[in-house]
Amino acid sequence: MDFVTESKKDNILKNDALGIAKIAREDKGGINATLGIFSPLEPFSFLEGVSSKLQIKQKYGYSSVDGGEEFRKAVNAYLGLDGCYVVATPGGTGAINASINLTLEKGEDLLIPYPCWGPYNNMAKGLSLNAIYYNLIKDDKFDLSDFIKKANEIIDRQRRLVFIINDPCQNPTGYSLSNDELKELFNYLNNLSVPVSVIYDLAYLDISNEKRHIDRSFLDIKVNDNVNILYCVSFSKSYQIYGQRLGALATKNEEFYKVACFYARTTWSNCNNAMINVVSEVELNKEIKKEHIEGLEKIRSELIKRSKIFLDEAKECDLNTIKYNGGFFISIPCSNNKEVYEKLKAEHIHILPVCNIVRVAICGLECDKLKGLAKKIKKYIKA
Ligand SMILES: Cc1ncc(COP(=O)(O)O)c(C=O)c1O
């Protein structure tokens, strides 16, 4: 019996990070560096307090489709912007998926970085789009010339451009564009004569070494009328509420906001009301926000410690790593990543093979478990 339509039959999760993480979790006592979850996972001290003060309806009633006026203000405050229309989404994933869905027609091209977070490619596949890759880093810098080359080719074909940028602390590399690199990128986009949708994946906004959790001015980008920035916010990492599923899609374009509301209502309907109210309270209350920033600061400094251990040891044993500016992951280029994954798994060490690299989630390993890891990985790497 054919219950699934022909075009969807091949949409099966293969080598998905959540599946690989499940295998790692089942290996009790093993080293689990698979997933982008900060460990130890401890709720910020203010979270339970704010959440316990919510009224029954704020917790268990439906939220409005877009999350409501306070949430709109809160997301603008979170981004350090004003005037954005906002739609609540189930995580950053929901925001990215909606952005792709609403800006491209079947068969069109979506431009994404290489290497990148696995679900981008699958989202394109699920929506019958072509994923086209731009090379993210060359000689430790943003590879603008490859981006422009790929973008121009797409524009020639479809007279519009939709692309994803994941910044700062890109997954999987940990690369962050400098202010100058961002300026050059938007300078190119502003001078195009076709519509450009920038899907700006900000999943790791709050943990960058450039202190972007405090200074959001880099997000206030001047764009021409042809450019629409779709800010894809994830509260998973910023609030350490991964499983609560809350994110937001923010845009200055009213028409986009309206179709995003329709999309939301007809897919997930509305989002986690309790978390919408928690985020609204925290972002709009200076005292609690201060506590939030202090909590983020602790995570950030712990990540700096962990990355130093891994990168110093990598240098000592001559293990090549991709340029890392901060964040949850460090990546190692290699041509045999599946083999490296299997061999390390046999030693109860779990990392993630993705694109032509293996990704080490330093967010998941405390310092003692990170020690010696670079050397163990090095054993199996082919350049
Ligand atoms: C690059 C990137 N974008 C977006 C997300 C979305 O996360 P969530 O849907 O939990 O907000 C993640 C989570 O791992 C990510 O790594």
Side-chain angles (χ1 to χ4, degrees), residues 35-37 89-96 116-120 123 166-167 169-172 201-204 232-237 241-243 245-247 328-329 359:
L35 259 200
I37 292 191
T89 59
T93 308
I96 298 162
C116 70
W117 187 47
Y120 297 158
M123 285 188 207
N166 173 206
D167 191 69
C169 307
Q170 197 248 7
N171 179 1
D201 180 353
L202 294 163
Y204 299 93
C232 295
V233 171
S234 163
F235 291 111
S236 299
K237 330 274 169 183
I241 53 166
Y242 307 88
R245 312 308 302 136
L246 185 66
F328 276 19
F329 313 108
R359 185 189 83 175

Side-chain angles (χ1 to χ4, degrees), residues 151-312:
N152 284 345
E153 286 166 6
I154 291 174
I155 291 166
D156 282 347
R157 280 196 293 276
Q158 67 192 32
R159 304 306 301 158
R160 67 172 134 173
L161 177 65
V162 179
F163 75 95
I164 301 180
I165 178 173
N166 173 206
D167 191 69
C169 307
Q170 197 248 7
N171 179 1
T173 59
Y175 187 78
S176 299
L177 272 73
S178 68
N179 284 341
D180 283 346
E181 287 174 328
L182 279 169
K183 235 184 243 160
E184 282 174 353
L185 172 63
F186 278 92
N187 192 28
Y188 160 73
L189 302 171
N190 277 335
N191 284 302
L192 292 170
S193 54
V194 296
V196 177
S197 299
V198 181
I199 302 177
Y200 206 150
D201 180 353
L202 294 163
Y204 299 93
L205 177 61
D206 274 333
I207 45 149
S208 87
N209 288 357
E210 297 79 23
K211 296 206 168 211
R212 289 187 162 160
H213 61 305
I214 297 168
D215 179 8
R216 302 285 211 230
S217 57
F218 80 105
L219 281 179
D220 192 11
I221 303 158
K222 302 284 165 273
V223 290
N224 288 346
D225 287 348
N226 67 310
V227 179
N228 184 24
I229 303 180
L230 303 166
Y231 297 99
C232 295
V233 171
S234 163
F235 291 111
S236 299
K237 330 274 169 183
S238 288
Y239 273 70
Q240 299 286 294
I241 53 166
Y242 307 88
Q244 294 290 331
R245 312 308 302 136
L246 185 66
L249 178 49
T251 171
K252 299 226 163 151
N253 183 281
E254 188 179 7
E255 184 190 21
F256 186 92
Y257 159 75
K258 285 182 178 164
V259 296
C261 286
F262 180 94
Y263 183 78
R265 179 67 177 117
T266 54
T267 46
W268 56 77
S269 182
N270 58 92
C271 288
N272 182 327
N273 202 13
M275 288 305 118
I276 286 175
N277 282 297
V278 166
V279 166
S280 302
E281 173 67 21
V282 174
E283 293 301 325
L284 299 174
N285 179 319
K286 283 206 172 79
E287 286 305 305
I288 310 178
K289 185 63 196 176
K290 202 164 143 254
E291 281 180 54
H292 182 208
I293 290 184
E294 283 162 10
L296 289 168
E297 205 39 69
K298 278 194 198 139
I299 291 178
R300 223 176 54 84
S301 62
E302 176 64 21
L303 286 169
I304 291 173
K305 252 197 263 165
R306 294 182 190 182
S307 61
K308 187 163 170 13
I309 291 173
F310 189 85
L311 291 172
D312 283 353

Side-chain angles (χ1 to χ4, degrees), residues 100-144:
I100 299 172
N101 201 305
L102 298 171
T103 51
L104 287 167
E105 300 286 0
K106 239 183 188 177
E108 287 191 318
D109 296 338
L110 170 70
L111 185 59
I112 60 178
Y114 191 92
C116 70
W117 187 47
Y120 297 158
N121 192 25
N122 279 346
M123 285 188 207
K125 185 175 174 184
L127 297 168
S128 304
L129 304 167
N130 310 309
I132 309 282
Y133 293 96
Y134 63 91
N135 184 45
L136 182 71
I137 308 167
K138 189 176 178 196
D139 300 332
D140 289 351
K141 297 204 167 62
F142 177 59
D143 192 351
L144 181 65

